[in-house]
Amino acid sequence: AEKVEDIVGLYMDPPRHAVVLSLDEKSQIQALERTRPSRPVTPGRPETQTHDYIRHGTTTLFAALDVLEGTVIGRCMQRHRHDEFLRFLNTIEAAVPAGKLIHVILDNYATHKHPKVRAWLARHPRWVFHFTPTSASWMNAVEGFFSALTRRRLKRGSFNGIVDLQAAINRYIAEHNDRPKPFVWTKPAAAILNAVNGNAAPSV
């Protein structure tokens, strides 16, 4: 309950002079190249796409959604260990203006709690981590961005290699940041807790 109230509070009443980031990794994004080009929509015929493909490896997208601005900081890496996570934290640290506190909402993945990550946080006192409750990653706003990325860029794409896949992801992030929309959470914490305790799917 405390974690729900904490995170909903950040969404609905973010602290002044601070940045609120929703952060997560989308791992194992596959670079799949279709064996034949897709056929576009034509009158009386839907778009068609082959079901067979060539695998060219995977990439991991680290992404942080600025809840107030709606913009995304993203970086593709080959793996998602604590080393890569620390590199992404340094990317954010360089991007956020000095003097602003950084509140980060993230899940309980072991990488996020690694001793080296905790040591990094101790050296960067303006950072505060807020962990979602167990099995409640749906509270992490960046999941909506990952869903849109999958539907609009990855699902129907054909990529001839990791570089091609990463370039497509980076273009999508740039296009998203050209037209950002603040993340809006409407359900108070009490409503979320009531829905969870009643085994109903909460609508946010």
Side-chain angles (χ1 to χ4, degrees):
E2 290 181 2
K3 289 183 177 181
V4 170
E5 291 173 355
D6 178 37
I7 292 171
V8 172
L10 286 173
Y11 287 150
M12 301 190 74
D13 187 22
R16 295 184 178 181
H17 310 298
V19 174
V20 178
L21 300 175
S22 169
L23 186 155
D24 203 359
E25 305 92 6
K26 184 174 178 62
S27 61
Q28 298 295 308
I29 306 174
Q30 297 189 71
L32 302 178
E33 182 181 8
R34 303 292 170 177
T35 56
R36 291 186 298 277
S38 300
R39 297 179 63 177
V41 175
T42 57
R45 181 193 296 270
E47 179 185 6
T48 61
Q49 188 177 54
T50 61
H51 294 287
D52 50 338
Y53 46 76
I54 303 169
R55 298 177 185 270
H56 292 293
T58 63
T59 192
T60 292
L61 171 62
F62 289 76
L65 170 69
D66 186 321
V67 172
L68 295 178
E69 299 292 335
T71 54
V72 170
I73 299 171
R75 184 171 177 183
C76 290
M77 301 187 204
Q78 290 306 109
R79 305 178 69 177
H80 59 289
R81 305 164 302 173
H82 69 274
D83 291 330
E84 287 78 17
F85 182 56
L86 286 171
R87 278 157 50 193
F88 186 56
L89 294 183
N90 284 321
T91 297
I92 297 172
E93 171 69 14
V96 176
K100 284 196 172 187
L101 297 176
I102 303 175
H103 291 269
V104 181
I105 298 166
L106 67 174
D107 63 24
N108 293 276
Y109 184 45
T111 294
H112 302 157
K113 299 180 177 181
H114 191 278
K116 289 187 177 179
V117 173
R118 294 183 183 275
W120 188 94
L121 289 174
R123 298 193 302 272
H124 296 80
R126 69 170 178 156
W127 285 69
V128 182
F129 277 10
H130 304 260
F131 294 101
T132 60
T134 303
S135 302
S137 59
W138 51 265
M139 292 192 68
N140 206 345
V142 76
E143 296 297 336
F145 172 79
F146 287 153
S147 177
L149 168 66
T150 300
R151 294 192 317 271
R152 298 172 182 173
R153 185 57 52 89
L154 302 178
K155 190 174 182 180
R156 297 182 180 274
S158 179
F159 310 101
N160 58 27
I162 295 296
V163 173
D164 188 27
L165 172 62
Q166 293 178 340
I169 293 171
N170 291 333
R171 284 195 302 271
Y172 182 83
I173 294 173
E175 292 164 4
H176 171 90
N177 289 340
D178 285 340
R179 302 181 301 276
K181 294 181 180 179
F183 174 75
V184 179
W185 184 284
T186 59
K187 290 287 186 180
I192 299 297
L193 290 171
N194 287 337
V196 171
N197 291 334
N199 294 321
S203 174
V204 296

